[in-house]
């Protein structure tokens, strides 16, 4: 009873009203509840709703069993993880000590991780007998040593197939010759595989896996980026390879074939194209036609890629490509994505013809229901925007391309896919088109597109371009927002980009951010880049509004960096400009003692201060009224034999109260300076 | 002055109509904005060349220069000779139609100008007034280009544009006569254009159909509008003000020279903007027409991945960024490599061979004892214990259990003589 009362007191008047209504029909109650208590009506509602629910029995549809792929759960989980702009790359999260802070460290750490894996793999494969114990259940094949040595000794077709499988070019060729000499016939399939192997490796044993290949690719990128690329023709990596030799093993074995089929021709032609024997490839193609065979799509793709090498003029190149495409249609060979990418890539070397034909080619792809990949779009962009060429009247092409691709998620389908983002960003930077740059960057965030930005080097190039553009076009606040987002979790800016950043701060008059930026510069390992540091000092010396203390601390920090070198060897050397910049910053912050120390550095580093600086210094000294220091200053000036020493002396004589001793020193100095004049 | 303006208007109108249907067939959803954009261009005195040029630049850059002088000439003539303007306009129209047909696969031509003159004369006074007002717009010096380029995806807001649309409708409605049949010159042009296409008969009939269809539109629009052009121009100005993008407009404008040479063109950046906005996307332009979309390749025997395929996959992997971004992605990678227990968790993972083996093969092993072991005695007793143990062992496969039993079988057979001596 007591409880009841208490509840009654606690309950609001509203609930009392409810109780009153409860004796009426439940329908009215429902309406009332919905009006007055919409949030809490569900308990009563459900009771009221039961009647209609029972009357119309819903048919229960049992969903079919769905088989999930083994990665589905993990993919769903992975999609919930967002990038943390404050954390370093996932690879380095195991060990905070090894979190890279500079671009160099990033490269070193990630490569060393990969190198460790390769070393382990090498030892397992080299000494397989020590790694036979199979602990895993179920069995994990990739942890077991691979067999790299041929197991079958006697000369047989199976042994040949095994050597082909193990990619031992020389051994396979020798074995094939043995088999022929012994009179055994080798089946066409195995011979074709052998031909493919020889052509693929250009009749040389493959170099060691992984490592050297990666290295050549990297140098290629760097060279491309430096735009020191040779004007046309072979890539640098092609030049390193041995060129196709006439009558090499591939051609010899091919000639021995009584009835070569399309696959044999395909292997030969692709090998010739890969190793730069373009005209031979075309003559082989003629042979193929003469022997009344039809080519396959790979042959055409290879020939199209080689077409620009064979012809001189733009028109002729394009005519040859069109001719090849027509032959494809005649032979009822269906082109694939790579064929059209080869066409577009060839069009890059066709000058103005490329510009007129690029879109028809794209259109043809669409008509054949071939979705262009990023490489196709990248080629189109490269056709219209040549690196280093002036961009005029083509702004819209990028716009059109972005309009086509935006919001789509691409899967890697072509090795050139990774070129798209850096090309697009280069164009944005060239045309100063921040709007499109944002769209490009937005595209990068869609789906798995982040994979397509390419390896570490390309990623760095991409972000460098993006960020330079931001520095040029955006306000400091927006730019800093991006800066905080990108640096250093995905991007380690180079010193040039940091200079751009400083310039942007300068134009927007936001120099109060400098101490912060200086900290980042030090962390990024650019604290010893003399040009960058001098730019920074000049900016600080010009700044007069912001709190000077932080700038002065910053300047002192920089000064200490100059003195401490790496292993006793100073990396930066003082210039007169940087010294006077430091001094003016210190003077502005009224740190005369530090400034005086710095002034002495002029003498030790054989630099000459400007008169303007000494005048400024003198003004500061005058504020404190330190006569001794003023006289010292003049002495120093006289020591440097500055022509304007006498004006300094005059100033001191006028503005300070001098003791007789000081007067005599000054007059001595005055005589000295006049005599030196 | 008045006549010249008028002529230019007519030329322009003709061109607008020349372009309209083609755009329509290409991209239906873009139809409306395109009209409006051009309607808006009109009060600002955008020249006919400007449009034709846009068209060209959008489709073929190389033909751009070839076309321009011809256009200039035609327009100059129009300006100098009021008597001939009808004819020249027609010719101009047709030449444009031809051009369009060469550049596109579905060209459509719209006749307009032939009878326009009579109609416009009726509104002469009001038009004169208007021209006075318009002059301000015409001579406006190009404004500074706004730094940001409007995206293609931006569509002009239809509502403020309504007035402009009505203006445009009126412009087309200036022709008073009903035309039931098509101009024979146009028919000829259409058939000429169609002959360049692969399927000429069908193309031609399509073209003519389009022409007639477009013919009908102005008739209905005509009724809707009032006679006073002043209202229209006033509307037009309102529309212009409300449009945020109109600042970017006066890129190319007519400049009247005293010597009566007509106008000079001014190709500015805004012109390029217009090119972007009004033309169709280059991705929907003509195709090479080499392959048949339906053609099926006789599928070659697929022998599995060749060396080249593997290498291509390798190259792609190396070119792209395959490093995991978080723990889950690393787990995905491990799953693909087979290092990780697969999700959804399955106790029998890795025991796929055993899945087809029924349980009794595992449990009832007596049948393996029959025949090769004695029916009774200590050996039999021992072996019964062995199979009991094996029946309960879940680590071994049936194969391994059988091998186990077989080992004992061999063992006891070897020790046969020893057993006999012991009389077991």
């Amino acid at each position: 009873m007591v409880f009841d009362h208490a509840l009654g007191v606690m309950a609001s008047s509203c609930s009392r009203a409810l109780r009153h209504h409860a004796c009426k029909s439940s329908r009215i109650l429902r309406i009332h509840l919905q009006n007055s208590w919409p949030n809490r009506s569900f308990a009563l509602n459900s009771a009221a709703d039961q009647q209609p629910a029972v009357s119309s029995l819903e048919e229960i549809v049992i969903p079919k069993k769905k088989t999930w792929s083994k990665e589905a759960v993990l993919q769903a989980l992975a999609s919930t993880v967002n990038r943390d702009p404050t954390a370093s790359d996932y690879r380095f999260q195991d060990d905070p000590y090894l979190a890279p802070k500079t671009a160099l460290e990033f490269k070193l750490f990630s490569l060393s991780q990969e190198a460790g894996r390769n070393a382990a793999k090498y030892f397992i494969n080299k000494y397989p007998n020590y790694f036979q114990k199979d602990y895993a259940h179920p069995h994990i094949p990739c942890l077991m040593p691979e067999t790299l040595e041929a197991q079958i000794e006697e000369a047989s077709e199976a042994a040949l197939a095994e050597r082909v499988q193990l990619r031992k070019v020389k051994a396979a060729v020798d074995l094939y010759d043995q088999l022929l000499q012994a009179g055994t016939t080798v089946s066409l399939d195995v011979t074709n595989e052998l031909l493919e192997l020889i052509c693929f490796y250009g009749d040389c044993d493959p170099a060691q896996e992984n490592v050297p290949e990666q290295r050549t690719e990297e140098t290629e990128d760097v060279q491309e980026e430096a735009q020191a690329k040779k004007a046309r023709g072979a890539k640098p990596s092609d030049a390193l390879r041995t060129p196709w030799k006439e009558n090499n093993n591939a051609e010899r074995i091919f000639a021995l074939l009584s009835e070569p089929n399309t696959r044999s021709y395909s292997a030969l032609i692709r090998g010739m194209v890969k190793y730069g024997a373009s005209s031979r490839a075309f003559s082989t193609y003629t042979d193929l036609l003469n022997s009344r065979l039809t080519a396959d799509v790979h042959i055409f793709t290879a020939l199209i890629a080689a077409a620009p090498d064979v012809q001189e003029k733009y028109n002729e190149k394009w005519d040859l490509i069109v001719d090849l495409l027509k032959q494809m249609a005649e032979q009822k060979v269906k082109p694939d994505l790579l064929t059209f990418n080869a066409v577009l890539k060839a069009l890059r070397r066709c000058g103005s013809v490329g510009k007129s034909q690029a879109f028809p080619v794209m259109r043809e792809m669409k008509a054949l229901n071939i979705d262009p990949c990023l490489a196709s779009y990248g080629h189109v962009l490269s056709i219209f925007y040549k690196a280093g060429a002036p961009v005029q009247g083509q702004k819209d092409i990028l716009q059109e391309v972005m309009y086509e691709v935006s919001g789509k998620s691409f899967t890697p389908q072509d090795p050139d896919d990774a070129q798209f983002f850096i090309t697009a960003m280069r164009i944005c930077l060239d045309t100063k088109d921040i709007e499109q740059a944002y769209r490009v960057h937005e595209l990068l965030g869609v789906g798995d597109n982040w994979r397509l930005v390419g390896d570490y080097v390309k990623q760095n190039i991409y972000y460098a371009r993006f960020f330079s553009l931001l520095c040029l076009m955006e306000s400091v606040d927006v730019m800093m927002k991006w800066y905080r987002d990108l640096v250093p979790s995905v991007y380690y800016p180079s010193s040039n980009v940091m200079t751009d950043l400083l310039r942007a701060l300068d134009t927007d008059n936001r120099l109060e951010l400098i101490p912060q930026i200086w900290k980042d510069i030090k962390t990024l390992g650019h604290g010893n880049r003399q040009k960058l540091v001098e730019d920074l000092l000049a900016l600080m010396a010009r700044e007069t509004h912001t709190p000077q203390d932080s700038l002065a601390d910053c300047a002192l920090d920089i000064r200490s960096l100059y003195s401490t070198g790496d292993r006793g060897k100073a990396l930066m050397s003082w210039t007169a400009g940087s010294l006077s910049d430091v001094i003016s910053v210190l003077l502005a912050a009224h740190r005369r003692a530090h400034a005086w120390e710095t002034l002495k550095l002029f003498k030790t580093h054989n630099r000459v201060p400007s008169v303007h600086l000494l005048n400024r210094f003198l003004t500061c000294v005058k504020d404190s009224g330190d006569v001794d220091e003023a006289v010292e200053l003049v002495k120093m000036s006289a020591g440097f034999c500055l022509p304007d020493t006498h004006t300094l002396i005059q100033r001191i004589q006028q503005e300070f109260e001098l003791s007789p001793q000081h007067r005599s020193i000054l007059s001595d100095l005055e005589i000295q300076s006049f005599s030196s004049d | 002055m008045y006549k010249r303006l008028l002529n230019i208007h007519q030329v322009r109108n003709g061109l607008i109509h020349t372009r309209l249907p083609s755009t329509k067939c290409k991209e239906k959803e873009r139809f409306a904005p395109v009209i409006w954009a051009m309607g808006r261009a009109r009060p600002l005195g955008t020249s006919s060349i400007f449009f034709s040029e846009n068209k060209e630049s959008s489709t073929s850059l190389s033909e751009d220069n070839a076309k321009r002088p011809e256009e200039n000439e035609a327009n100059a003539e129009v300006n100098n000779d009021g008597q001939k303007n009808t004819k020249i306009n027609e010719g101009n129209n047709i030449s444009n139609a031809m051009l369009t047909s060469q550049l596109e696969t579905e060209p459509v031509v719209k006749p307009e100008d032939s009878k326009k003159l009579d109609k416009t004369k009726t509104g002469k006074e009001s038009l004169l007034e208007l021209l006075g007002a318009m002059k301000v717009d015409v001579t406006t010096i190009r404004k500074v280009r706004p730094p940001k380029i409007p995206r293609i995806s931006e569509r002009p807001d239809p509502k403020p544009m309504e007035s402009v649309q009505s203006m445009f409708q009126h412009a087309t409605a200036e022709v008073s006569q009903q035309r039931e049949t098509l101009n024979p010159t146009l028919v000829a042009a259409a058939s000429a254009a169609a002959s360049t296409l692969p399927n000429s008969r069908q193309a031609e009939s399509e073209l003519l159909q389009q022409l007639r269809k477009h013919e009908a539109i102005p008739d209905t629009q005509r009724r809707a509008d009032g006679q006073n052009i002043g209202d229209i121009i006033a509307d037009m100005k309102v529309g212009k003000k409300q449009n945020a993008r109109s600042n970017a407009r006066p890129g190319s404008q007519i400049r009247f020279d005293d010597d009566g040479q007509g106008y000079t063109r001014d190709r500015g950046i805004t012109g390029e903007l217009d090119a972007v906005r009004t033309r169709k996307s280059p991705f929907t332009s003509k195709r090479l027409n080499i392959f048949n979309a339906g053609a099926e390749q006789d599928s070659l025997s697929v022998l599995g991945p060749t060396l080249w395929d593997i290498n291509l996959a390798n190259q792609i992997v190396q070119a792209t960024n395959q490093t995991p971004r978080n723990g889950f992605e690393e787990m995905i990678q491990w799953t693909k490599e087979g290092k990780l227990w697969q999700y959804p968790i399955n106790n029998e993972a890795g025991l796929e061979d055993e899945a087809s083996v029924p349980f009794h093969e595992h449990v009832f092993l007596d049948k393996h004892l029959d025949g090769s072991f004695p029916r009774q005695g200590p050996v039999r007793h021992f072996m019964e214990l062995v199979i009991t143990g094996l029946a309960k062992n879940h680590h071994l496969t049936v194969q391994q259990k059988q091998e186990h039993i077989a080992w004992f079988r061999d063992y006891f057979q070897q020790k046969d003589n020893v057993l006999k001596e012991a009389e077991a």
Side-chain angles (χ1 to χ4, degrees):
Chain A
M1 193 60 206
V2 175
F3 273 107
D4 235 351
H5 183 71
L7 280 173
V9 170
M10 278 159 71
S12 64
S13 59
C14 182
S15 65
R16 215 172 292 148
L18 266 180
R19 220 177 295 149
H20 177 69
H21 275 283
C23 57
K24 295 188 176 179
S25 75
S26 67
R27 200 178 138 74
I28 293 170
L29 174 71
R30 248 185 87 198
I31 293 162
H32 181 84
L33 279 172
Q34 274 175 349
N35 290 341
S36 64
W37 249 8
N39 290 334
R40 298 177 61 185
S41 61
F42 60 91
L44 287 161
N45 246 353
S46 61
D49 274 337
Q50 255 174 13
Q51 271 185 331
V54 169
S55 64
S56 69
L57 234 170
E58 267 184 43
E59 198 181 327
I60 297 167
V61 183
I62 300 166
K64 280 182 184 165
K65 188 193 172 188
K66 189 164 180 181
T67 25
W68 295 96
S69 80
K70 51 189 179 179
E71 296 113 24
V73 177
L74 291 170
Q75 269 161 355
L77 286 171
S79 67
T80 63
V81 184
N82 290 327
R83 193 174 72 83
D84 177 5
T86 60
S88 59
D89 194 279
Y90 174 73
R91 275 173 284 175
F92 309 112
Q93 285 178 8
D94 282 346
D95 191 351
Y97 178 74
L98 290 177
K101 293 179 200 71
T102 68
L104 189 70
E105 279 179 0
F106 182 90
K107 195 174 172 184
L108 196 67
F109 292 166
S110 48
L111 283 182
S112 56
Q113 199 176 36
E114 209 50 46
R117 278 198 193 117
N118 283 343
K121 199 98 200 151
Y122 171 80
F123 276 106
I124 290 174
N125 289 335
K126 179 101 179 173
Y127 304 103
N129 45 327
Y130 297 130
F131 300 95
Q132 289 304 327
K133 181 84 180 132
D134 188 4
Y135 295 97
H137 186 81
H139 175 67
I140 301 174
C142 76
L143 293 183
M144 300 309 285
E146 295 166 32
T147 38
L148 294 177
E149 294 303 318
Q151 304 293 317
I152 309 170
E153 287 302 320
E154 82 273 19
S156 68
E157 197 177 310
L160 180 61
E162 190 192 30
R163 275 158 184 75
V164 170
Q165 193 66 38
L166 293 171
R167 305 193 182 186
K168 295 189 177 300
V169 179
K170 286 255 153 57
V173 171
D174 290 346
L175 191 64
Y176 182 80
D177 289 340
Q178 278 180 35
L179 284 174
L180 282 197
Q181 275 168 12
T184 19
T185 49
V186 183
S187 74
L188 191 60
D189 272 346
V190 177
T191 319
N192 282 342
E193 275 175 23
L194 175 66
L195 263 180
E196 273 174 7
L197 180 76
I198 301 170
C199 293
F200 181 78
Y201 287 110
D203 200 14
C204 297
D205 261 323
Q208 235 204 334
E209 295 272 309
N210 298 329
V211 188
E213 261 178 60
Q214 276 174 3
R215 198 165 293 156
T216 50
E217 297 235 338
E218 234 159 66
T219 50
E220 190 180 310
D221 290 333
V222 170
Q223 282 177 1
E224 195 173 52
E225 277 325 304
Q227 279 154 11
K229 212 166 72 170
K230 284 165 212 161
R232 297 247 158 94
K235 282 194 214 160
S237 61
D238 280 339
L240 295 175
R241 286 182 197 147
T242 47
W244 186 266
K245 291 188 206 89
E246 238 175 89
N247 290 323
N248 64 3
N249 284 322
E251 288 189 27
R252 188 172 57 84
I253 291 173
F254 182 80
L256 289 174
L257 285 177
S258 55
E259 278 193 9
N261 62 5
T262 304
R263 202 177 156 202
S264 330
Y265 276 107
S266 177
L268 198 64
I269 291 174
R270 291 172 90 181
M272 284 168 171
V273 171
K274 185 177 176 185
Y275 290 94
S278 305
S279 45
R280 281 195 74 78
F282 274 94
S283 61
T284 315
Y285 174 65
T286 322
D287 289 349
L288 169 103
L289 292 183
N290 287 338
S291 50
R292 294 174 188 283
L293 287 168
T294 52
D296 64 0
V297 64
H298 305 298
I299 293 181
F300 283 116
T301 308
L303 288 177
I304 287 167
D309 294 331
V310 186
Q311 297 288 349
E312 283 295 318
K313 288 181 189 155
Y314 291 155
N315 274 334
E316 288 170 353
K317 288 177 184 179
W318 173 241
D319 289 344
L320 182 59
I321 293 169
V322 169
D323 191 39
L324 284 169
L325 288 175
K326 279 183 178 149
Q327 289 183 37
M328 277 181 93
E330 264 172 37
Q331 299 180 19
K332 294 222 170 20
V333 176
K334 206 170 184 186
D336 59 6
L337 177 70
L338 292 175
T339 314
F340 282 112
N341 282 352
V343 173
L344 288 169
K345 200 171 182 177
L347 276 177
R348 285 168 69 169
R349 294 164 61 187
C350 290
S352 54
V353 181
K355 291 186 186 180
S356 61
Q357 297 300 333
F359 284 115
V361 172
M362 292 295 274
R363 186 81 189 87
E364 187 82 4
M365 288 174 82
K366 293 224 167 130
L368 295 176
N369 275 330
I370 297 170
D371 282 331
C373 66
L374 277 185
S376 329
Y377 291 113
H379 290 318
V380 170
L381 289 181
S382 310
I383 287 168
F384 282 96
Y385 304 88
K386 295 259 182 280
V391 272
Q392 272 174 353
Q394 292 158 356
K395 225 167 183 173
D396 39 343
I397 300 292
L398 177 64
Q399 221 168 1
E400 293 290 350
V401 168
M402 287 317 295
Y403 186 64
E404 283 289 309
V405 298
S406 58
K408 285 186 197 164
S409 172
F410 289 89
T411 44
Q413 284 171 293
D414 188 302
D416 287 328
D417 276 348
Q419 294 290 340
F420 175 80
F421 280 105
I422 53 174
T423 313
M425 208 36 103
R426 167 175 64 78
I427 295 161
C428 292
L429 184 60
D430 287 352
T431 55
K432 308 269 179 292
D433 191 346
I434 190 76
E435 197 82 356
Q436 297 304 322
Y438 281 135
R439 297 187 79 188
V440 172
H441 195 69
E442 194 186 329
L443 178 69
L444 186 63
V446 177
D448 261 0
N449 287 353
W450 61 273
R451 289 192 190 281
L452 292 166
V453 77
D455 55 9
Y456 155 75
V457 181
K458 290 210 182 71
Q459 199 174 330
N460 234 5
I461 293 164
Y462 169 80
Y463 281 115
R465 284 170 178 168
F466 183 42
F467 196 69
S468 307
L469 189 60
L470 285 172
C471 290
L472 279 176
M473 306 299 289
E474 277 292 0
S475 71
V476 167
D477 288 320
V478 179
M479 192 243 327
M480 286 308 286
K481 202 185 110 258
W482 281 104
Y483 176 78
R484 297 279 164 241
D485 190 47
L486 298 176
V487 178
S489 59
V490 289
Y491 172 51
Y492 303 93
S494 67
S495 60
N496 289 336
V497 176
M498 289 314 276
T499 315
D500 287 348
L501 176 75
L502 289 179
R503 214 166 284 155
L505 291 182
D506 186 25
T507 43
D508 266 27
N509 257 328
R510 297 288 299 278
L511 296 176
E512 75 270 12
L513 291 169
I514 280 187
Q516 228 178 317
I517 300 293
W518 165 246
K519 244 183 230 169
D520 290 352
I521 288 175
K522 264 205 316 189
T523 333
L524 287 167
H526 301 317
N528 50 12
R529 299 294 171 102
Q530 182 146 356
K531 199 178 162 299
L532 180 65
V533 173
E534 277 171 18
D535 284 352
L536 187 78
L537 283 174
L539 276 186
M540 289 200 302
R542 271 181 19 213
E543 175 62 13
T544 46
H545 302 294
T546 48
Q548 295 294 325
D549 259 356
S550 53
L551 288 187
D553 287 338
C554 193
L556 286 176
D557 196 21
I558 293 175
R559 199 186 67 179
S560 67
L561 265 185
Y562 268 95
S563 51
T564 61
D566 188 25
R567 290 183 213 105
K569 192 184 145 204
L571 290 167
M572 295 187 290
S573 57
W574 285 109
T575 62
S578 49
L579 272 175
S580 45
D581 285 340
V582 171
I583 291 169
S584 12
V585 172
L586 291 173
L587 286 179
H590 306 291
R591 299 204 184 171
R592 209 151 43 76
H594 289 303
W596 186 251
E597 281 170 30
T598 317
L599 197 61
K600 285 176 184 161
L601 289 175
F602 273 106
K603 189 96 182 158
T604 47
H605 290 274
N606 289 326
R607 304 275 177 239
V608 182
S610 67
V611 178
H612 176 73
L613 176 76
L614 292 179
N615 266 321
R616 229 187 124 187
F617 207 104
L618 194 59
T619 319
C620 280
V621 173
K622 190 196 145 201
D623 288 346
S624 66
D626 189 341
V627 185
D628 286 335
E629 205 167 285
V631 175
E632 279 294 307
L633 191 70
V634 178
K635 269 188 189 167
M636 190 179 280
S637 166
F640 286 121
C641 299
L642 286 182
D644 285 333
T645 311
H646 57 273
T647 54
L648 282 178
I649 296 170
Q650 277 168 8
R651 261 189 78 184
I652 295 176
Q653 282 168 343
Q654 285 162 13
E655 295 172 10
F656 288 83
E657 290 186 8
L658 297 169
S659 64
Q661 194 188 354
H662 287 143
R663 272 181 209 288
S664 65
I665 295 172
L666 282 182
S667 53
D668 282 353
L669 287 173
E670 202 168 5
I671 294 161
Q672 255 182 38
S673 69
F674 272 121
S675 61
S676 68
D677 279 353
Chain B
M1 178 68 185
Y2 150 69
K3 265 204 166 167
R4 213 181 287 153
L5 251 184
L6 191 67
N7 292 340
I8 289 155
H9 267 270
Q10 283 166 355
V11 174
R12 192 160 55 240
N13 283 343
L15 282 161
I16 289 167
H17 290 285
T18 316
R19 290 169 45 76
L20 272 183
S22 63
T23 329
K24 188 178 176 183
C25 331
K26 281 290 178 190
E27 283 184 69
K28 273 179 186 126
E29 74 279 9
R30 281 206 186 177
F31 181 44
V34 169
I35 306 177
W36 292 330
M38 283 188 284
R40 235 180 311 118
R42 203 167 155 261
L44 299 168
T46 317
S47 74
S48 61
I49 290 225
F50 167 61
F51 278 115
S52 61
E53 181 189 292
N54 284 345
K55 164 68 81 191
E56 283 162 18
S57 66
S58 70
T59 45
S60 160
L61 287 166
S62 58
E63 285 177 58
D64 199 9
N65 290 327
K67 181 62 193 161
R68 238 180 271 155
E70 181 190 323
E71 279 283 335
N72 268 329
E73 204 180 287
N75 282 298
E77 269 184 82
V78 171
N79 291 317
N80 288 336
D81 191 352
Q83 295 296 314
K84 284 183 186 172
N85 65 355
T86 319
K87 198 178 174 187
I88 291 160
N89 283 346
E90 250 179 51
N92 206 347
N93 214 344
I94 290 158
S95 74
N96 269 293
M98 297 292 281
L99 175 72
T100 326
S101 67
Q102 281 161 11
L103 296 174
E104 299 173 19
T105 43
E106 302 158 71
V108 178
V109 186
K110 171 72 186 88
E112 187 63 44
D113 309 282
S114 49
K115 295 152 192 171
K116 192 178 282 175
L117 206 59
D118 325 353
K119 171 63 191 171
T120 39
K121 268 175 187 167
T122 61
K124 192 171 180 176
E125 278 80 13
S126 53
L127 193 57
L128 267 173
E129 285 172 24
L130 290 167
L131 289 172
M134 268 177 69
K135 215 175 170 185
V136 181
D137 283 335
V138 169
T139 51
T140 311
I141 295 159
R142 250 195 305 156
K143 283 167 194 156
V144 183
R145 176 174 73 110
K148 284 180 181 173
I149 296 154
R151 296 181 180 184
I152 321 161
S153 54
E154 281 176 7
R155 298 274 186 273
D157 189 12
K159 220 175 175 185
M161 284 297 109
E162 247 166 276
S163 54
V164 179
Q165 192 188 17
S166 73
M167 179 276 302
F168 171 70
Q169 284 167 353
H170 193 89
T172 59
E174 281 173 18
V175 188
S176 58
Q177 276 87 353
Q178 300 285 329
R179 283 155 294 159
E180 297 300 326
T181 54
L182 290 169
N183 193 326
T185 347
L186 277 168
V187 178
S191 58
S195 65
T196 62
L197 296 172
N199 195 354
S200 62
R201 276 236 160 268
Q202 196 197 334
E204 189 183 341
S205 67
E206 272 173 14
L207 286 177
L208 295 175
Q209 206 180 336
Q210 279 292 336
L211 289 176
R212 285 194 197 95
K213 204 198 287 176
H214 197 75
E215 199 84 350
I217 296 167
D219 291 348
T220 53
Q221 289 171 344
R222 232 167 273 156
R223 272 171 252 130
D225 280 286
Q227 291 298 310
N228 192 355
I229 304 178
D231 291 344
I232 300 151
I233 305 282
D235 283 351
M236 212 164 66
K237 281 188 172 173
V238 174
K240 195 189 110 195
K241 269 176 198 161
Q242 284 171 353
N243 180 19
R245 273 193 287 122
S246 59
N247 284 346
R249 270 287 169 187
S252 51
Q253 48 192 238
I254 307 168
R255 289 193 204 131
F256 290 94
D257 297 331
D258 289 332
D259 59 0
Q261 284 301 309
Y263 50 83
T264 53
R265 272 181 313 100
D266 192 352
R267 190 183 180 190
I269 292 159
T270 43
E272 291 166 27
L273 291 184
D274 289 338
V276 171
R277 204 174 305 120
T278 55
R279 68 139 187 247
K280 57 212 173 346
S281 159
F283 286 102
T284 54
S285 60
K286 63 159 185 173
R287 51 180 279 210
L288 282 177
N289 261 325
I290 290 176
F291 296 99
N292 279 330
E296 274 303 310
Q297 177 199 14
D298 44 344
S299 54
L300 287 163
S301 56
V302 180
L303 294 158
T306 61
L307 197 59
W308 298 92
D309 297 335
I310 296 165
N311 180 58
L312 178 72
N314 268 342
Q315 274 185 344
I316 291 170
V317 166
Q318 280 194 352
T320 54
N321 182 5
Q322 297 292 338
T323 52
R325 288 183 304 178
N326 54 51
F328 294 121
E329 283 181 355
E330 193 169 35
M331 283 163 86
I332 290 173
Q333 210 173 324
W334 286 340
T335 310
K336 282 178 181 162
E337 287 168 4
K339 292 179 189 170
L340 198 72
W341 202 277
Q342 290 174 7
Y343 288 97
I345 294 292
N346 176 12
N347 281 344
E348 291 166 12
L351 297 172
E352 283 78 16
D353 295 343
E354 290 291 294
S356 56
V357 180
F359 87 100
H360 58 82
E361 297 273 328
H362 274 278
V363 177
F364 304 119
L365 297 165
D366 306 32
K367 58 181 178 183
H368 300 300
L369 297 189
D370 297 342
S372 47
F373 289 98
R375 294 195 68 82
Q376 54 196 12
V379 172
R380 178 73 186 193
H381 182 62
F382 174 78
M383 282 315 293
E384 271 167 4
L385 290 176
V386 166
I387 60 167
T388 313
L390 285 176
K392 291 178 180 178
N393 190 333
H394 50 264
H395 291 294
L396 300 179
T397 62
V398 168
Q399 188 63 35
Q400 283 168 322
K401 287 176 183 180
Q402 284 171 5
E403 280 169 12
H404 203 84
I405 295 166
W407 185 87
F408 280 110
R409 185 186 298 131
D410 289 349
Y411 180 79
F412 286 124
Q413 272 166 9
Q414 279 172 18
K415 307 288 176 187
D416 202 26
N417 44 358
V418 183
L419 289 171
K420 271 187 183 146
E421 270 179 37
E423 289 176 358

